[in-house]
Amino acid sequence: MPMKILTEFYCRKKKSFFSHFDMDKDGFASHDDLFGRIVRRARIMFREEDAAALETTWTICYQTFLVPGMKMVNGQEMLTAEGYNAHVDAVFSAHPQEVLKEKTRAMVESWFDGVDVNKDGSISKREYAHFLVCYNVDPDDTTVCFEALDANKDGKLSREEFIQAGLQFFHDLEESPGAYFFGPLKK
């Protein structure tokens, strides 16, 4: 069944997510803000093959959730907060939640594979911090985010903890630890 009503909390998550890309806080994010900057940072933070995996996954997310909300502004294709919000609302209202969760799970699993640089089956605080910095999260905020997602408090994120947090971020309408998946929420 498609989701019809997005809560105030879910709208806050969307606003926080968009704010990571709106570098000058003018309500617009360019292709470079949304894609180029992330890819360049991933190439610095991760090994070549892991950066390539993250780039592939981000390309799918970018084309699915961000490009459709873009419009021309001063001769440049830009995403507005309103365009992003409207498109996400439309996607979540038009598609069965089971289908969206399956696609989200595949995307988050791919992120896990790229972020787990040492391939030990878990993500360390350092690996997670590198992931968040790619998405313009302040490095000082990465520890609190990691701790929120580390459900069993063992100092690492298992594959399942990471996937559950990603699913919570994209699908939970009410507050959950996954709200910190892409950094702290903005007020």
Side-chain angles (χ1 to χ4, degrees):
M1 164 179 270
M3 178 171 47
K4 298 289 185 201
I5 300 172
L6 299 177
T7 64
E8 182 178 321
F9 179 75
Y10 193 84
C11 293
R12 187 171 159 217
K13 283 195 295 187
K14 289 189 305 178
K15 179 180 177 183
S16 295
F17 187 63
F18 181 82
S19 75
H20 292 304
F21 306 109
D22 182 8
M23 301 307 290
D24 58 4
K25 307 304 177 211
D26 64 353
F28 299 100
S30 69
H31 170 78
D32 189 61
D33 292 335
L34 294 162
F35 190 78
R37 186 181 316 263
I38 293 166
V39 169
R40 285 192 302 277
R41 285 183 178 180
R43 288 176 183 160
I44 292 168
M45 305 297 251
F46 296 101
R47 294 180 314 182
E48 185 177 338
E49 60 270 18
D50 295 322
L54 290 169
E55 181 177 348
T56 298
T57 304
W58 184 241
T59 299
I60 294 165
C61 185
Y62 173 74
Q63 291 174 342
T64 303
F65 292 106
L66 303 177
V67 170
M70 295 180 113
K71 67 178 188 175
M72 293 303 287
V73 177
N74 297 327
Q76 186 177 6
E77 201 168 35
M78 302 285 266
L79 180 67
T80 65
E82 296 78 22
Y84 169 68
N85 290 336
H87 181 67
V88 170
D89 292 353
V91 167
F92 277 85
S93 295
H95 299 284
Q97 287 302 292
E98 301 78 36
V99 172
L100 290 173
K101 283 185 178 179
E102 184 179 308
K103 290 181 181 211
T104 303
R105 176 178 279 279
M107 180 175 66
V108 175
E109 285 176 347
S110 181
W111 273 326
F112 181 91
D113 293 338
V115 176
D116 180 17
V117 174
N118 64 5
K119 306 303 179 207
D120 67 353
S122 64
I123 295 175
S124 69
K125 282 184 183 180
R126 185 168 191 251
E127 289 169 327
Y128 190 66
H130 287 173
F131 172 70
L132 289 182
V133 168
C134 289
Y135 291 92
N136 302 320
V137 175
D138 186 323
D140 292 337
D141 291 333
T142 61
T143 297
V144 70
C145 297
F146 182 90
E147 290 171 355
L149 305 186
D150 184 12
N152 64 5
K153 306 303 179 203
D154 65 353
K156 57 187 175 188
L157 299 178
S158 68
R159 182 178 198 84
E160 194 54 34
E161 285 173 321
F162 188 83
I163 291 167
Q164 284 306 311
L167 289 170
Q168 288 173 353
F169 179 83
F170 287 106
H171 296 280
D172 281 9
L173 296 177
E174 301 302 330
E175 195 157 353
S176 64
Y180 289 86
F181 189 76
F182 281 109
L185 299 182
K186 307 293 182 198
K187 298 283 180 194

